[in-house]
Amino acid sequence: MTTSSPVTVYTSARARGFANAIVAGLAARTHFDSQTMDRRLLAQHVATRSTAVVLLSRGDIAWDHTELSAIRDAILIGGLDSSASLIRGLAGGAQTAISAHLPFEALLDELHTALDPRDSRARRDNFALMRRIRIRAEEATRIDDLTDREFEILGLVYTGHNADTVARIAHVSLTTVRAHVRHILHKLDVHSQVEACAMLRRSGRGTRRDRLETQIGRY
């Protein structure tokens, strides 16, 4: 085992179990002297010598001035529902952001890479990363804006059904299916059904109305 610098995972009470799992996962891979700490103590991190990993639970948080100072060179972990916080944190000097929607072992891989100063992949182009997160969040919002009926039609198209089959399954006319498809393309701001299906896949939903978060992938 190699010895690495200490790691402090800052978390809310709601995500404490996830934070503990991350600490245990890091310990199983490499000798990280890791601990979890309440995110409300993040502002005091500047006085420590550990690497900060900030776990953002569902929803955005407003970084105050002391927190922005504390997260300089920190690693942020969060989902698309925390996109504004991720982007502001990266703009404020955080090292990188990792998708909380990754399968757990893949998340640990990403985190291990980010914590290894010898790995050239540890630092990404944060401007490009912020742009990707912003685009993914905007796409997710557009998907959310679809009606249940539109989502049903898109899901049928996504699974390979043509317009005639969609009409039969959905018990509507072919004219109605085509009208729904036009509305869907307009709402998603895309030009083809292929682009719409690709956006649906990136959102992590597939044919599910609720996001299947482990399918969203890395930013």
Side-chain angles (χ1 to χ4, degrees):
M1 286 188 177
T2 58
T3 302
S4 304
S5 60
V7 176
T8 301
V9 180
Y10 290 91
T11 181
S12 65
R14 180 167 51 180
R16 178 75 64 182
F18 188 26
N20 288 337
I22 289 173
V23 167
L26 288 175
R29 291 175 173 229
T30 312
H31 183 60
F32 282 101
D33 181 14
S34 307
Q35 63 177 338
T36 62
M37 193 168 289
D38 194 295
R39 200 189 63 78
R40 289 172 294 184
L41 301 176
L42 176 61
Q44 302 173 23
H45 182 78
V46 289
T48 75
R49 294 184 178 181
S50 65
T51 300
V53 175
V54 184
L55 184 58
L56 304 180
S57 54
R58 188 176 299 275
D60 286 313
I61 59 171
W63 302 112
D64 61 31
H65 177 72
T66 53
E67 288 177 327
L68 283 174
S69 297
I71 64 171
R72 186 172 299 278
D73 293 324
I75 299 165
L76 309 180
I77 300 176
L80 291 176
D81 44 20
S82 300
S83 59
S85 296
L86 292 174
I87 291 168
R88 189 174 182 215
L90 289 166
Q95 176 187 331
T96 192
I98 298 172
S99 172
H101 303 308
L102 287 169
F104 188 65
E105 287 300 317
L107 186 150
L108 287 179
D109 288 340
E110 292 263 322
L111 183 54
H112 190 274
T113 296
L115 288 168
D116 188 351
R118 300 165 300 175
D119 197 313
S120 60
R121 299 170 297 170
R123 285 194 174 273
R124 302 186 193 176
D125 179 348
N126 277 359
F127 287 108
L129 180 56
M130 285 188 285
R131 182 175 180 274
R132 289 197 299 273
I133 293 171
R134 184 177 294 110
I135 290 172
R136 296 288 292 278
E138 289 172 353
E139 289 182 348
T141 298
R142 290 179 206 157
I143 294 289
D144 285 340
D145 286 342
L146 296 178
T147 66
D148 288 342
R149 190 57 150 173
E150 288 167 344
F151 189 88
E152 177 190 6
I153 298 298
L154 180 56
L156 290 170
V157 172
Y158 178 83
T159 52
H161 296 294
N162 61 29
D164 289 327
T165 307
V166 171
R168 188 165 58 252
I169 294 173
H171 303 291
V172 295
S173 69
L174 185 58
T175 300
T176 299
V177 170
R178 289 172 176 162
H180 277 309
V181 169
R182 285 196 301 272
H183 293 156
I184 290 166
L185 299 186
H186 176 73
K187 284 186 174 182
L188 299 185
D189 193 22
V190 296
H191 302 291
S192 70
Q193 294 179 36
V194 172
E195 290 180 77
C197 290
M199 186 182 294
L200 182 63
R201 178 183 54 78
R202 288 193 297 271
S203 76
R205 289 171 176 81
T207 58
R208 298 165 57 101
R209 182 78 210 190
D210 296 324
R211 183 181 301 136
L212 187 60
E213 296 189 340
T214 56
Q215 293 184 359
I216 291 177
R218 72 197 299 268
Y219 294 133

